[in-house]
Amino acid sequence: MTLLDGKATSEQIKLEIAEKVREIIARGGQRPHLIAILVGEDGASQTYVAGKERACQQVGFDSTIIRYPDTVDQSTLLDKIREINSDPNVHGLIVQLPLPKHIDEQLVINTIDPSKDVDGFHPENFGRMVLGLPTFVSATPFGIMELLERYKIETSGKKCVILGRSNIVGRPLANLLSQKGYPGDCTVTICHSRSKDIKSITLDADIIIAALGVPEFLKGDMVKEGAVVIDVGITRVKADNKAGFKLKGDVLFDEVAPKCSYITPVPGGVGPMTIVSLLKNTLRASGN
Ligand code: GUN
């Protein structure tokens, strides 16, 4: 069993991005600048946005966090997005999700200029991704594809089962893994909350991607010998430590890992790859 070390791989990619930033600055170019809008006090969202800001600093990007209370008006948020859209000194804009219930999330996403939508959530970018056109691919699917590529994992003709059909992970991944060429050409099945007999489906899979947000859902007896398992889950569960919680993946690691050819740990697997994919998209948005 080989661990797919997202932490080490992401550190390598950050070095590559930092080198590119040095080249940009040396030739008098503009430093890539990412703005993150954070609404409310959700602990997980605050942690994710802080992680994105730290990663920007590590590679030499400018980064700005704009914070609003969870009572903010939708119109205030939309006006701020329009202002950023027309600011030539900002290259990437993300609005951390989820948003409070009184705000129309899709309208917010639709308001972001597609050329600054480094999350790849705007319908134009999502559509381009489905068509296989150059675009911003959402960070988590992009990071997973890069991890498969960097570890040279064979995908052609493989049976790939994705657990979860979210717009952020399951659906885009199903598209990417079924596209022509490496790392694609998979035969893809999506399972979701209405799927029946999931165990018989995962038992037949060469590659399993668990992205349903149910801690330790995938057990040892649901996985065949030699499978590749990618764990996207990061649920906070109460723990007797300083933070008061620990992160649990969607995979029961101790049971599943011994059967795998490759597996991602949680933490240190998909999470760090997601962040560097956002950096790659921001670099691209800055015209580099
Ligand atoms: N919430 C959970 N994942 C993401 C993400 O990738 N981007 C944004 N903006 N919000 C999220």
Side-chain angles (χ1 to χ4, degrees):
M1 182 271 290
T2 302
L3 266 190
L4 294 170
D5 189 339
K7 178 107 180 61
T9 308
S10 69
E11 292 303 330
Q12 174 58 38
I13 297 171
K14 277 192 255 183
L15 292 177
E16 295 165 15
I17 297 173
E19 178 58 32
K20 289 222 171 79
V21 174
R22 279 192 290 275
E23 286 167 19
I24 294 166
I25 302 304
R27 67 174 132 86
Q30 216 181 1
R31 200 177 281 283
H33 182 191
L34 174 70
I35 290 192
I37 296 181
L38 177 57
V39 180
E41 304 290 327
D42 178 69
S45 288
Q46 303 216 36
T47 307
Y48 298 150
V49 169
K52 292 169 187 179
E53 185 180 43
R54 195 164 50 243
C56 281
Q57 287 161 357
Q58 285 171 344
V59 298
F61 288 5
D62 285 333
S63 76
T64 307
I65 303 178
I66 298 176
R67 292 185 168 80
Y68 288 106
D70 60 8
T71 51
V72 68
D73 275 354
Q74 179 168 285
S75 60
T76 305
L77 200 54
L78 296 181
D79 284 346
K80 179 51 84 177
I81 292 171
R82 292 189 190 105
E83 180 191 318
I84 296 168
N85 284 345
S86 56
D87 182 346
N89 296 315
V90 182
H91 308 102
L93 167 61
I94 63 170
V95 179
Q96 190 65 27
L97 306 178
L99 292 170
K101 293 220 171 356
H102 68 278
I103 294 175
D104 179 345
E105 223 162 72
Q106 192 61 51
L107 180 59
V108 166
I109 290 169
N110 293 355
T111 304
I112 299 173
D113 181 336
S115 70
K116 297 191 179 186
D117 166 42
V118 287
D119 260 331
F121 292 168
H122 190 285
E124 182 176 318
N125 288 324
F126 200 93
R128 291 180 65 90
M129 183 274 299
V130 172
L131 291 167
L133 298 171
T135 187
F136 300 115
V137 173
S138 312
T140 303
F142 190 11
I144 291 170
M145 298 302 278
E146 176 113 26
L147 202 53
L148 293 173
E149 210 173 331
R150 294 216 174 206
Y151 276 86
K152 299 186 169 58
I153 290 173
E154 186 56 65
T155 55
S156 180
K158 300 294 180 192
K159 291 182 190 166
C160 175
V161 172
I162 299 171
L163 304 175
R165 57 179 160 186
S166 72
N167 289 344
I168 294 184
V169 184
R171 281 196 228 205
L173 257 184
N175 269 285
L176 294 168
L177 285 163
S178 59
Q179 276 176 13
K180 230 182 187 28
Y182 186 73
D185 291 326
C186 286
T187 304
V188 178
T189 305
I190 300 185
C191 293
H192 46 75
S193 52
R194 296 282 190 271
S195 296
K196 295 201 164 61
D197 195 10
I198 291 178
K199 180 175 168 182
S200 74
I201 301 170
T202 55
L203 265 177
D204 196 33
D206 302 306
I207 301 172
I208 302 173
I209 303 192
L212 16 60
V214 178
E216 301 181 334
F217 175 87
L218 192 76
K219 311 281 194 288
D221 66 356
M222 297 169 76
V223 178
K224 78 173 175 190
E225 285 292 334
V228 176
V229 172
I230 309 281
D231 189 348
V232 186
I234 33 163
T235 308
R236 289 179 167 202
V237 295
K238 276 210 169 92
D240 252 348
N241 57 16
K242 214 170 111 194
F245 68 88
K246 60 181 183 180
L247 296 179
K248 277 222 191 286
D250 288 353
V251 175
L252 186 49
F253 187 89
D254 290 349
E255 275 186 28
V256 172
K259 300 181 88 174
C260 291
S261 54
Y262 294 91
I263 185 167
T264 59
V266 173
V270 173
M273 292 303 294
T274 296
I275 293 193
V276 290
S277 299
L278 180 67
L279 297 178
K280 286 181 76 168
N281 280 343
T282 304
L283 186 66
R284 181 192 162 88
S286 72
N288 294 283

